[in-house]
Amino acid sequence: MSGGKRRGVTVGGACILTVFTVLCLTTFSALSLASARADYKLAQKAHHAATQYYTAEEQAETVLSEWITALRAGQDITGPLQAAGGSAEQTEEGLLLTYSTQSGSTQLMAEVLLQTDASGQPTGRVLYQHLQPVTGEGTAAGGEKG
């Protein structure tokens, strides 16, 4: 051999490319796994919140149904309304019932406007109903009656 240089099998470039590819794939798989776990946790929290909301809504509807049945039967609902922490107010439009229900950490404020007849007695017909989540400070979260 002339010049004193010897040529052998070179694997340096292929080895570096392979190591780089494996590192990239490992990094991307770790990021995908972290993203999937975060998505799963978020989905679980959303499911839990939705379940609590609809349970509280079901309770509010059940209470309202009982009160409407009592009103149609001519019974006074002042006692049960106050026991539930609610209030009744006679307005120009009808009888406005305000009460709250709670399921787990979800609390709903319910406003229901019942139609009244000429004498001011509620007929049991719902003219307006609004359920609104209550924030941690005990106030309804956003929105106006409408």
Side-chain angles (χ1 to χ4, degrees):
M1 293 190 110
S2 61
K5 288 190 176 179
R6 207 170 92 166
R7 298 196 65 109
V9 178
T10 59
V11 291
C15 185
I16 290 174
L17 184 61
T18 303
V19 169
F20 178 73
T21 303
V22 168
L23 286 175
C24 286
L25 290 175
T26 303
T27 302
F28 289 141
S29 65
L31 291 173
S32 294
L33 180 61
S35 176
R37 281 188 177 160
D39 288 346
Y40 179 74
K41 287 180 182 179
L42 182 61
Q44 290 290 9
K45 286 180 182 179
H47 172 73
H48 183 70
T51 301
Q52 286 187 342
Y53 176 86
Y54 287 115
T55 301
E57 182 181 21
E58 179 185 13
Q59 291 172 355
E61 292 291 334
T62 301
V63 167
L64 177 61
S65 176
E66 292 170 358
W67 290 344
I68 288 175
T69 302
L71 287 171
R72 287 183 179 155
Q75 299 173 356
D76 183 27
I77 64 164
T78 306
L81 184 62
Q82 289 176 349
S87 64
E89 177 185 346
Q90 187 68 41
T91 66
E92 291 179 7
E93 297 89 15
L95 180 65
L96 179 65
L97 302 176
T98 305
Y99 59 99
S100 65
T101 62
Q102 185 162 353
S103 173
S105 62
T106 301
Q107 183 177 6
L108 294 180
M109 179 63 70
E111 287 184 339
V112 180
L113 183 62
L114 300 176
Q115 182 182 33
T116 54
D117 59 17
S119 67
Q121 292 298 317
T123 62
R125 181 169 176 240
V126 176
L127 297 176
Y128 166 81
Q129 182 174 2
H130 180 71
L131 292 173
Q132 186 169 337
V134 176
T135 63
E137 291 81 38
T139 58
E144 285 287 320
K145 179 175 143 178

